[in-house]
Amino acid sequence: DAGVTQSPTHLIKTRGQQVTLRCSPKSGHDTVSWYQQALGQGPQFIFQYYEEEERQRGNFPDRFSGHQFPNYSSELNVNALLLGDSALYLCASSRGTRHNEQFFGPGTRLTVL
Amino acid sequence: RKEVEQDPGPFNVPEGATVAFNCTYSNSASQSFFWYRQDCRKEPKLLMSVYSSGNEDGRFTAQLNRASQYISLLIRDSKLSDSATYLCVVIGGYSTLTFGKGTMLLVSP
């Protein structure tokens, strides 16, 4: 039973570029949440997808967008990258609309130069 | 006031020691509470849920005080493998997790 997987593991971009990160949820899970974790900070909630729609969003600008596919996998897109977007991006999956335990993927470490 | 506040530490303790972490949260409507553990450069992993009546899992005890909006984690008989960052997590609606900055624990031989 595969857990949450994310790709790529590491990524280096320059300011102004765009990036797409990918996440496949744990088998049987249908809800995907994305978090940004800057160095020395706790993860910050970006948004959550359920039934292919963004259900809730944290305090992140519109440069951050996402998508969920019919197979429940998800993408996070960030446009016009800033140096401050350098962070570990974590995907977490869970099941249903009520709280269930969220399982995290290993994350994608994004460096913006 | 931040939504979830923790002492960042680090807490340096010898093996076998008992150590306690505290966490406060600002939203009195928060519904669920957890402690996650995060090893260096790894993803967070659920350590334990926190219930109003308090709960214990082996060497770990978690407690919640809703009146004071305060959560605690007690680790007894610390092991070297307990060295990690411990994240206090509060849940509001729609299963979105609000994390504290984490408390770093370093257990030395």
Side-chain angles (χ1 to χ4, degrees):
Chain A
D1 177 24
V4 181
T5 60
Q6 291 186 244
S7 63
T9 54
H10 294 82
L11 203 50
I12 299 175
K13 292 284 189 178
T14 56
R15 280 178 296 176
Q17 285 190 308
Q18 178 266 343
V19 67
T20 297
L21 311 181
R22 296 177 176 82
C23 170
S24 290
K26 183 178 168 63
S27 178
H29 285 184
D30 55 11
T31 302
V32 173
S33 303
W34 286 93
Y35 296 83
Q36 179 195 66
Q37 186 174 24
L39 199 60
Q41 304 293 317
Q44 299 244 315
F45 173 70
I46 303 175
F47 42 52
Q48 183 181 82
Y49 278 84
Y50 174 71
E51 292 187 341
E52 300 180 52
E53 290 194 357
E54 182 183 291
R55 182 164 66 175
Q56 193 158 353
R57 188 179 183 93
N59 189 25
F60 278 79
D62 292 345
R63 298 187 298 108
F64 290 76
S65 63
H67 189 78
Q68 186 178 34
F69 299 94
N71 67 353
Y72 309 120
S73 66
S74 177
E75 288 182 349
L76 163 65
N77 301 292
V78 187
N79 294 323
L81 285 166
L82 304 174
L83 295 180
D85 295 332
S86 295
L88 179 67
Y89 288 85
L90 294 159
C91 166
S93 75
S94 55
R95 185 166 55 200
T97 56
R98 293 177 60 78
H99 168 70
N100 287 289
E101 179 181 344
Q102 293 195 14
F103 290 82
F104 282 84
T108 294
R109 190 163 298 279
L110 172 65
T111 302
V112 182
L113 302 176
Chain B
R1 181 181 174 186
K2 291 189 186 296
E3 289 189 68
V4 180
E5 293 204 65
Q6 295 181 250
D7 180 345
F11 284 56
N12 288 282
V13 303
E15 271 187 292
T18 294
V19 61
F21 306 136
N22 301 320
C23 166
T24 58
Y25 61 95
S26 60
N27 185 354
S28 59
S30 298
Q31 301 166 7
S32 303
F33 310 88
F34 303 86
W35 284 100
Y36 274 71
R37 170 195 168 127
Q38 186 171 27
D39 292 295
C40 188
R41 303 182 76 84
K42 299 285 191 180
E43 72 273 23
K45 293 186 178 177
L46 179 66
L47 179 65
M48 59 194 305
S49 303
V50 186
Y51 303 120
S52 297
S53 55
N55 49 299
E56 190 173 307
D57 183 2
R59 298 182 293 109
F60 298 83
T61 301
Q63 294 202 307
L64 167 65
N65 184 322
R66 284 189 185 271
S68 301
Q69 295 181 206
Y70 166 99
I71 304 158
S72 66
L73 176 68
L74 182 77
I75 305 176
R76 290 180 300 277
D77 189 23
S78 299
K79 311 290 184 191
L80 295 177
S81 58
D82 293 334
S83 296
T85 295
Y86 291 83
L87 296 159
C88 175
V89 181
V90 172
I91 290 188
Y94 285 127
S95 308
T96 60
L97 309 182
T98 300
F99 286 83
K101 290 177 68 170
T103 298
M104 183 182 291
L105 171 65
L106 300 172
V107 182
S108 54

